[in-house]
Amino acid sequence: MQSKSKEQHVHSVFESIAPKYDLMNDLLSFRRHKAWRSFTMRKMDVKPGATAIDLCCGTCDWTIALARTSGTGKMVGLDFSQNMLEIGRQKIDRDGLGERISLIHGNAMELPFEDDRFDYATIGFGLRNVPDLKQVLKEMQRVVKPGGQVVCLELSKPIWQPFKSVYYFYFERILPMLGRLFAKRYEQYKWLPESLKAFPDLNQLAEIYRELGLRNVRAYPLTGGIAALHIGTKGTDGV
């Protein structure tokens, strides 16, 4: 799929599934996505007052968690789906965080911020859907301060048998049917397993981090490898 057509297709998918996105995240991750995010936050060790940009922020669960942990730091949530952002805005207003979280309808491939702006750049379950993942990681690296972290929490590829076979059967056969049952969408949830096929595995993504110049790269398989956390640090020399 060409990058432009992929971008348009993914945009239409997420615009249409926004109202059921949180429910489907439970189904997609076996209800583990909240535990994965908690693990990620512990590994990030967010300091009071820290700032962050959360790319592909969706309905803003991670953006909100970052704001709560930072306490006083300003957060930015960016997504190309206006429908997702509208649901996220409702959560932010409900939690009284509107003064500390700004939401931007934008493109993760071209961030509207200057270099060395944030302490953290995060992307949760969005990197496999972008047209050019290296470009997104470069942009994340560009906008974090020297010593800042580039953090990706994403679905990955389990390697243990027989768990691997069971997972792929669920992901490719059962999940789209659950999408039709719970979210009244089939083709949109068929896209999700397709998006993982061409995505780098745990070690490949870690190597991409290193190729881009990120340092102290850490990669953690989660729940038998069905998800992975990657953290890299921008060098103090700006690389």
Side-chain angles (χ1 to χ4, degrees), residues 157-165 168 201-203 221 224-226:
K157 300 174 180 178
I159 56 175
W160 302 342
Q161 290 289 13
F163 177 70
K164 178 179 178 180
S165 297
Y168 276 111
D201 64 22
L202 176 85
N203 294 323
I226 68 173

Side-chain angles (χ1 to χ4, degrees), residues 12 27 31 53 137 157 180 187 220:
S12 68
L27 297 172
R31 302 197 68 163
I53 181 169
L137 291 171
K157 300 174 180 178
R180 178 157 52 193
E187 290 299 323
Y220 304 91

Side-chain angles (χ1 to χ4, degrees), residues 4-144:
K4 191 62 178 179
S5 61
K6 175 181 178 179
E7 183 177 359
Q8 292 169 343
H9 178 66
V10 174
H11 181 265
S12 68
V13 167
F14 283 92
E15 286 284 78
S16 66
I17 67 175
K20 298 291 186 180
Y21 180 74
D22 291 339
L23 168 65
M24 293 308 296
N25 264 354
D26 285 341
L27 297 172
L28 186 63
S29 69
F30 302 103
R31 302 197 68 163
R32 296 298 297 162
H33 63 102
K34 293 180 181 178
W36 296 340
R37 192 165 57 246
S38 295
F39 175 84
T40 298
M41 294 293 288
R42 291 195 298 273
K43 292 299 182 183
M44 289 172 64
D45 191 24
V46 177
K47 298 295 191 292
T51 60
I53 181 169
D54 185 24
L55 277 61
C56 304
C57 64
T59 59
C60 298
D61 284 350
W62 197 358
T63 324
I64 290 169
L66 287 163
R68 286 174 173 165
T69 303
S70 169
T72 57
K74 300 290 186 179
M75 304 294 149
V76 172
L78 180 143
D79 203 285
F80 70 166
S81 168
Q82 189 64 51
N83 290 347
M84 289 282 194
L85 290 174
E86 288 174 2
I87 294 172
R89 171 57 64 194
Q90 294 172 16
K91 294 180 182 180
I92 290 166
D93 291 344
R94 181 191 64 206
D95 291 354
L97 295 171
E99 292 185 359
R100 292 203 293 110
I101 299 177
S102 301
L103 296 184
I104 295 177
H105 185 219
N107 186 351
M109 303 260 294
E110 192 174 347
L111 300 179
F113 293 98
E114 69 275 16
D115 298 356
D116 306 333
R117 168 73 176 267
F118 301 97
D119 296 301
Y120 299 89
T122 63
I123 185 166
F125 309 109
L127 192 62
R128 73 186 186 283
N129 295 319
V130 301
D132 184 340
L133 67 88
K134 288 185 179 180
Q135 174 61 23
V136 171
L137 291 171
K138 286 178 183 177
E139 280 290 272
M140 294 172 74
Q141 182 180 19
R142 180 182 67 78
V143 300
V144 295

